[in-house]
Amino acid sequence: MEERALVLGINGAQGTGKSTLARLLRRLLERVYGLRVAILSLDDLYLTAAERMRRAETIHPLLVTRGVPGTHDVDLGIRTIRALRQGKPLALPRFDKARDDRSPVAKWPRWQGPCDLVIFEGWCVGARPQRRHELDEPINGLERLEDPTGDWRYYVNRELGGHYQALFAEIDLLVMLRPETFEQVLAWREQQERRLREEVGGPQVMGPTAVRRFVMHFERLTRFIWEEMPERAHALVYLGDDHMP
C-alpha cells in the first residue's frame, strides 16, 4: 500500500512567522532529507473579492473583510490537500493581498509528482468553535459597534464548527505558535503591512488605523485558540517579542 503524504498544521496568530517557519522547514527537509514538501496557506484559500461582497450583502457587512471562517473556499482547501496526498498534478492556490483578491489561476504555481509532506499554515488552522453562550458579549469595539446583535460572530462560529472541521481533519500533526500578548499580534501585523506598503503599495494595503480595525476581526477566536488549543497541539512554541521561541 502506498503511503500518503503527512499533513503538518501550523497555527499562529497574525504576524507570528507561520509562513517563514513553513519555508524554513521545507528548505531543511528538501535539502537535508530529500523530501518533497508542499506549502498551503489558509490565506491562499480566501474567497474572491466579489464572493465576499455577495456574502457581505446577503449575510453580514463584516464578511467583506477577508480572514475569519466564512471567507475561505474550504472545498478548494480539501481538494488541494487530498490531491497532494494522492500525488496528483495540480495548481496551488494563491491570493494577492495587495489587490485583496484571488490571483488568476494561470499564475498559480504547478505541482507535479509525489508529495511527502504538506505544510498547512494559517491563523485559525486546527481551531474549534466556541459554545454559543460564549459569543453573547462583544469583546472589542468592532463587535460592539458593527456587530451589536452578534449575527456576524454567530455566523463565523457556525462556519468554523461546520465544514472547516472537515478541512482541519486532514491535519496529522498540529504545531501552535503562541505570542505573549494580543498587543504583540497587533504590532507584528502592522510590521507585515508596512513591508507591503514599501514593497508593493496599492489602495488595498492598510495603514496603522486600518490594521488595528482589521486585527479586531480576529481577536475573539485568537484568544479562544490560546485557551483551548495548547492542551491538544502536538507542539506548543512560545514566542518572545523578537519572534524567537
Side-chain angles (χ1 to χ4, degrees):
M1 180 177 176
E2 184 179 355
E3 294 186 4
R4 68 174 191 172
L6 191 75
V7 178
L8 171 66
I10 300 179
N11 174 285
Q14 305 282 314
T16 49
K18 302 178 295 297
S19 299
T20 301
L21 175 59
R23 290 192 298 269
L24 288 172
L25 282 174
R26 178 174 62 185
R27 186 174 183 181
L28 171 68
L29 294 171
E30 288 180 342
R31 293 192 175 190
V32 178
Y33 296 99
L35 300 180
R36 299 199 74 219
V37 180
I39 297 175
L40 176 64
S41 173
L42 185 66
D43 288 357
D44 284 322
L45 300 178
Y46 287 133
L47 297 170
T48 65
E51 290 169 328
R52 298 196 321 270
M53 181 59 71
R54 282 194 292 271
R55 294 197 178 190
E57 292 171 348
T58 59
I59 300 172
H60 194 283
L62 285 176
L63 292 173
V64 74
T65 301
R66 67 179 191 261
V68 298
T71 63
H72 302 90
D73 188 335
V74 174
D75 291 336
L76 174 61
I78 294 173
R79 291 197 307 271
T80 300
I81 290 176
R82 291 180 178 174
L84 287 167
R85 282 192 190 274
Q86 297 164 12
K88 295 181 178 179
L90 75 157
L92 296 174
R94 288 293 182 267
F95 189 90
D96 185 345
K97 291 183 179 178
R99 294 176 50 247
D100 194 25
D101 209 348
R102 187 176 293 173
S103 298
V105 176
K107 294 186 177 181
W108 294 6
R110 300 293 304 180
W111 178 274
Q112 297 281 347
C115 179
D116 297 303
L117 176 69
V118 180
I119 301 177
F120 180 32
E121 59 90 359
W123 79 276
C124 66
V125 161
R128 292 176 178 173
Q130 293 181 271
R131 292 185 292 271
R132 183 178 174 83
H133 73 271
E134 295 174 321
L135 305 171
D136 292 342
E137 294 298 323
I139 67 165
N140 58 33
L142 179 81
E143 291 188 359
R144 283 192 297 273
L145 297 175
E146 301 186 47
D147 186 38
T149 61
D151 291 345
W152 171 70
R153 53 188 183 270
Y154 292 140
Y155 174 80
V156 169
N157 200 59
R158 285 195 302 272
E159 287 288 296
L160 177 59
H163 57 325
Y164 277 75
Q165 295 307 302
L167 173 60
F168 298 155
E170 298 288 333
I171 297 170
D172 299 302
L173 296 171
L174 181 62
V175 173
M176 180 182 180
L177 306 180
R178 174 66 158 90
E180 295 179 353
T181 67
F182 195 78
E183 283 303 310
Q184 191 63 62
V185 174
L186 176 62
W188 287 344
R189 189 63 184 82
E190 166 55 21
Q191 288 176 7
Q192 288 183 326
E193 209 67 21
R194 188 184 309 121
R195 284 196 295 270
L196 275 178
R197 290 196 296 269
E198 295 170 353
E199 297 171 5
V200 181
Q204 298 298 337
V205 180
M206 294 180 287
T209 301
V211 169
R212 178 171 288 278
R213 180 182 179 278
F214 179 69
V215 170
M216 285 184 187
H217 290 76
F218 307 91
E219 182 174 359
R220 168 179 294 279
L221 184 53
T222 296
R223 292 185 183 278
F224 178 66
I225 289 170
W226 289 354
E227 294 174 4
E228 186 276 328
M229 186 176 288
E231 292 185 358
R232 60 184 176 87
H234 294 90
L236 175 59
V237 182
Y238 286 95
L239 303 176
D241 289 346
D242 57 358
H243 274 100
M244 295 298 292

